[in-house]
Amino acid sequence: DAEEVRKELDQLEKVQIVKEITGPYKEQNTADILMQTVQAIAELMPYYEHILEVRENRIKERESNLMLNEEPETAYNLKESGNAIAKNSILYGPPGTGKTYYTAYYSVAICDGTSIEKLEEKSYEEVLERFNDLKEQGRVAFTTFHQSYGYEEFIEGIRPVMSGEEEKKSIEYEIVPGVFKEFCDKSAHVDNPCVFIIDEINRGNISKIFGELITLIEETKRKGETEGLSAFLPYSQEEFGVPKNVYILGTMNTADRSIALMDTALRRRFNFIEMMPDCRTIEDIVIRQNGKEVNIGDVLDIINRRIEFLFDREHTIGHAFFTSLKNGD
């Protein structure tokens, strides 16, 4: 009974549904076997449709859970909300969707108090020039997480230095601020917004890198806020807090590691902004050969539909892989 099977399907991890086709398997029986096969397909279709429906619902549920912030009011759609950007945001999506490319747009939008739409009216060269100006001013900094990245590089650590005369050299250690602490110390003396970019944020061990700062980066826990907190750092014993004018902007490749596997403490403190392949950006690329035309935008759309059906949307192919074709490359 189909309804009974559907109830059971929801409780199972893997299902193999079989319809037995009776023999004898002889040439003269081919028509009967084909008829039974067609009938079997018709009988099995409701189960497959049910499985696909369950899968679609799970995808939708997972997409909604990507915004796992426990404070929904901090989740903004930047495309629609101008420069109303959360203090902690992550651009996520498959490779080649322009996540790192768009960090320039987001950084300039934050620092100049404008919207992404207005910046998109300008050429990328103009936006990049302004982005580089902000970097030179110290209002934008950039780092990339990897498996060996740690607290010492990000917050503070100790570094060996040589001291003494040439023949009596000894090793001493000095406390060195990490890139994020150094950026926060400088930003504390600036009235304007500043942006710290973390590329490939999901590739690092978040607990190891952030340490006690995982609490201090919360928007309400920033220095200057009513619930502002600070912590004494383990090496220097300095009191440290994250300034409220510092924005943290991360990028995440979903094909490298699923958001579902990310540190829960990080997920709920960040606003996730999805960046998926956009076939419209390459729809004007057409390859002509032997009197035939192939639209690259349509090709990418078909490829990604197939990948999403057979695998998942997190492993689709980004449009950036094809943009070089615009220059005839």
Side-chain angles (χ1 to χ4, degrees):
D1 179 69
E3 290 303 318
E4 290 298 319
V5 173
R6 287 183 182 182
K7 291 177 183 177
E8 291 184 21
L9 283 175
D10 294 333
Q11 310 299 322
L12 301 174
E13 283 294 320
K14 187 175 291 186
V15 179
Q16 183 178 22
I17 303 172
V18 179
K19 173 68 176 177
E20 183 181 1
I21 299 175
T22 59
Y25 301 103
K26 296 181 179 179
E27 187 175 349
Q28 60 268 29
N29 206 29
T30 301
D32 184 50
I33 291 175
L34 288 175
M35 184 61 68
Q36 289 189 62
T37 302
V38 172
Q39 185 181 352
I41 292 172
E43 291 181 14
L44 293 176
M45 280 305 294
Y47 303 121
Y48 283 106
E49 288 173 354
H50 175 70
I51 291 171
L52 291 173
E53 182 183 349
V54 170
R55 179 178 179 274
E56 184 178 356
N57 291 337
R58 286 178 180 172
I59 289 174
K60 290 179 180 178
E61 183 181 353
R62 183 170 59 184
E63 288 174 357
S64 64
N65 288 339
L66 293 178
M67 306 294 288
L68 280 173
N69 295 331
E70 295 180 354
E71 301 167 357
E73 66 273 9
T74 64
Y76 299 100
N77 185 326
L78 200 67
K79 287 281 186 179
E80 299 175 358
S81 306
N83 60 351
I85 307 172
K87 288 288 174 67
N88 305 319
S89 300
I90 291 178
L91 309 180
Y92 74 96
T97 54
K99 298 178 291 297
T100 305
Y101 176 92
Y102 257 84
T103 56
Y105 283 91
Y106 281 72
S107 299
V108 173
I110 292 169
C111 292
D112 291 350
T114 186
S115 66
I116 294 293
E117 292 93 337
K118 290 183 179 178
L119 290 178
E120 286 180 330
E121 294 173 1
K122 302 180 180 181
S123 67
Y124 182 67
E125 287 71 23
E126 289 181 79
V127 176
L128 190 60
E129 182 179 358
R130 175 57 180 157
F131 175 76
N132 289 328
D133 288 341
L134 292 168
K135 284 179 67 178
E136 290 180 8
Q137 296 171 24
R139 292 179 60 191
V140 174
F142 185 97
T143 192
T144 302
F145 279 3
H146 50 81
Q147 288 87 346
S148 300
Y149 206 88
Y151 185 90
E152 291 74 14
E153 291 86 9
F154 196 62
I155 311 299
E156 69 171 13
I158 56 174
R159 182 176 61 188
V161 292
M162 303 298 292
S163 62
E165 299 177 6
E166 187 66 31
E167 65 276 6
K168 297 180 180 180
K169 281 199 172 184
S170 61
I171 297 178
E172 295 180 356
Y173 292 89
E174 63 178 359
I175 299 170
V176 180
V179 289
F180 184 67
K181 180 181 183 297
E182 195 171 29
F183 182 77
C184 288
D185 289 342
K186 292 178 181 178
S187 301
H189 304 289
V190 178
D191 293 329
N192 298 318
C194 301
V195 182
F196 190 85
I197 302 169
I198 305 174
D199 200 25
E200 305 283 1
I201 191 170
N202 57 303
R203 296 188 68 219
N205 185 328
I206 300 304
S207 299
K208 173 186 173 185
I209 295 171
F210 278 87
E212 66 275 14
L213 260 69
I214 198 67
T215 299
L216 304 185
I217 65 172
E218 289 185 37
E219 193 162 343
T220 57
K221 304 296 191 298
R222 302 293 187 92
K223 284 171 63 177
E225 300 290 352
T226 53
E227 300 178 30
L229 294 175
S230 59
F232 286 95
L233 301 178
Y235 293 109
S236 63
Q237 290 300 303
E238 288 182 13
E239 187 177 8
F240 177 73
V242 180
K244 64 179 181 180
N245 66 323
V246 171
Y247 287 72
I248 301 175
L249 181 63
T251 70
M252 174 181 166
N253 183 348
T254 55
D256 182 48
R257 185 180 176 190
S258 172
I259 289 180
L261 301 176
M262 285 186 66
D263 189 289
T264 305
L266 182 74
R267 290 208 309 264
R268 73 180 189 85
R269 287 173 171 86
F270 276 79
N271 171 44
F272 286 84
I273 303 169
E274 186 179 58
M275 300 195 70
M276 295 301 291
D278 187 358
C279 300
R280 293 172 299 176
T281 60
I282 56 173
E283 62 183 2
D284 57 336
I285 303 177
V286 178
I287 296 178
R288 297 177 177 86
Q289 189 173 5
N290 299 328
K292 296 182 179 180
E293 293 185 352
V294 176
N295 186 289
I296 298 301
D298 292 341
V299 171
L300 179 61
D301 181 54
I302 293 170
I303 290 173
N304 283 338
R305 284 172 181 267
R306 190 65 175 166
I307 292 174
E308 185 175 345
F309 179 80
L310 295 175
F311 200 15
D312 59 44
R313 67 199 306 269
E314 294 177 355
H315 289 77
T316 48
I317 299 173
H319 50 271
F321 291 112
F322 298 90
T323 52
S324 61
L325 294 174
K326 288 187 175 183
N327 302 322
D329 298 333

